[in-house]
Structure formats: C-alpha cells, structure tokens
C-alpha cells in the first residue's frame, strides 16, 4: 500500500511507510497494486481520500479500428470518499526498439473511477502493416486531482504483436 503524505514531516512519513511499502512493479506483473492517498492535513485528522488501484489492459489490436493497436488505463476506488473525485489518467503506448522502450502514442484524460469507454484514457497507434513482430507495453499513471502524488506507474505485460512501425 502506498501512503501519500504531501508535506507531512519526515517522522510522520516514516511512521506511515513502515510495513506499507510496495516494491516497484516489474513489467509483466498482473498483481494488483493498491495505493492510499492522504494529504498531510487529512493524515492528522484521521481521514483521507482512501485507497485506489491503478489498472490497465495489455496492448492489443483494436476491436473497432482495423490495423490499430490500443492501450487503456483507468483507476478503481477501493475505499474512502473518492467516488466524486476525478483522476488525471495518462497512458503511454510503447514499443521496444534497439533495446529501449520508445513511446508511440500518449493519451491523457480526467476521469472518474471505474473504467469503460467513458472512464479511461486510450492511446492508439496505426500499424503501417501487419508484418514483423515487435514488443509492446503500456505505462499508466493515475493522479487524483487535488491530492499529492507519488511517482508510481503501472507497467503492463509485454505483448509481441505483428504491428509494423
């Protein structure tokens, strides 16, 4: 679980982090990542925005636009009063070339919790042809609007697709 402490003191941050640290997610991990968000003021008051999960699907061929690949990112409220809060969701669709990940497309949307076509960011890339195999992944960042943020980003599993660049 990740605790966002905003401008909390180092001592308070240390106390909150004990037993709550989550290692960075490795590419290909499907394990859910839970994050808690609290401002310094709400930590002192014993309340906060609650916990949420950063979610995204693996890069895949579009079901609606022939010859395109897609990556989607969204978030899910797990506990607390985040129902009425929007988050800035950023998704990067990336390809591995020359041993490095390069971004092909990016999308940013401010959305409520949930997923689905109206509650997610969607990055799309038009394949030049469907020959040649490349490795693709997506990187998703969720920032609850009006609350402090950490640098956590979900990385989806690598997918080898026949999508020409």
């Amino acid at each position: 679980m990740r605790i966002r402490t905003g401008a909390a003191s180092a001592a308070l941050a240390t106390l909150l982090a004990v037993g709550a640290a989550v290692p960075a997610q490795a590419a290909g991990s499907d394990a859910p990542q839970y994050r808690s968000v609290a401002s310094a003021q709400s930590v002192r008051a014993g309340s906060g925005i609650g916990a949420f999960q950063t979610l995204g699907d693996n890069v895949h061929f579009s079901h609606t636009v022939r010859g395109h690949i897609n990556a989607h990112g969204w978030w899910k409220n797990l506990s607390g009063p985040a129902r009425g809060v929007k988050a800035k969701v950023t998704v990067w669709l990336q390809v591995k070339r020359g041993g490095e990940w390069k971004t092909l497309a990016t999308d940013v949307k401010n959305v409520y919790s949930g997923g689905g076509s109206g509650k997610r960011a969607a990055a799309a890339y038009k394949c030049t042809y469907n020959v040649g195999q490349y490795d693709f992944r997506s990187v998703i960042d969720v920032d609850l609007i009006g609350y402090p943020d950490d640098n956590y980003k979900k990385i989806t599993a690598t997918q080898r697709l026949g999508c020409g660049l």
Side-chain angles (χ1 to χ4, degrees), residues 61 65-70 93 104-105 123-130 136 163-165:
F61 280 99
V65 183
R66 185 175 165 95
H68 282 70
I69 56 174
N70 292 340
L93 191 156
L104 296 175
Y125 178 78
K126 182 179 181 181
C127 303
T128 57
Y129 52 87
N130 290 339
F136 296 92
C163 174
L165 304 178

Side-chain angles (χ1 to χ4, degrees), residues 17-145:
V18 171
V22 174
Q25 178 185 6
S29 172
D30 290 329
Q33 299 294 314
Y34 301 95
R35 300 161 69 193
S36 290
V37 179
S39 68
Q41 295 77 20
S42 65
V43 169
R44 287 187 213 108
S47 64
I49 197 67
F52 70 97
Q53 186 177 12
T54 298
L55 298 163
D57 53 16
N58 294 331
V59 176
H60 58 278
F61 280 99
S62 172
H63 301 292
T64 57
V65 183
R66 185 175 165 95
H68 282 70
I69 56 174
N70 292 340
H72 303 108
W74 64 95
W75 69 287
K76 181 179 177 184
N77 179 37
L78 298 173
S79 66
R83 284 188 250 297
V85 174
K86 279 190 173 182
K88 176 183 169 187
V89 177
T90 307
V91 60
W92 294 269
L93 191 156
Q94 297 183 329
V95 64
K96 192 169 193 176
R97 296 200 61 195
E100 294 184 26
W101 289 101
K102 301 184 191 273
T103 299
L104 296 175
T106 303
D107 188 36
V108 179
K109 292 259 174 27
N110 292 339
V111 297
Y112 291 107
S113 170
S117 62
K119 295 181 180 176
R120 67 183 180 194
Y125 178 78
K126 182 179 181 181
C127 303
T128 57
Y129 52 87
N130 290 339
V131 185
Q133 298 284 310
Y134 293 93
D135 290 332
F136 296 92
R137 73 177 186 184
S138 59
V139 179
I140 300 115
D141 185 26
V142 173
D143 301 322
L144 294 182
I145 296 171

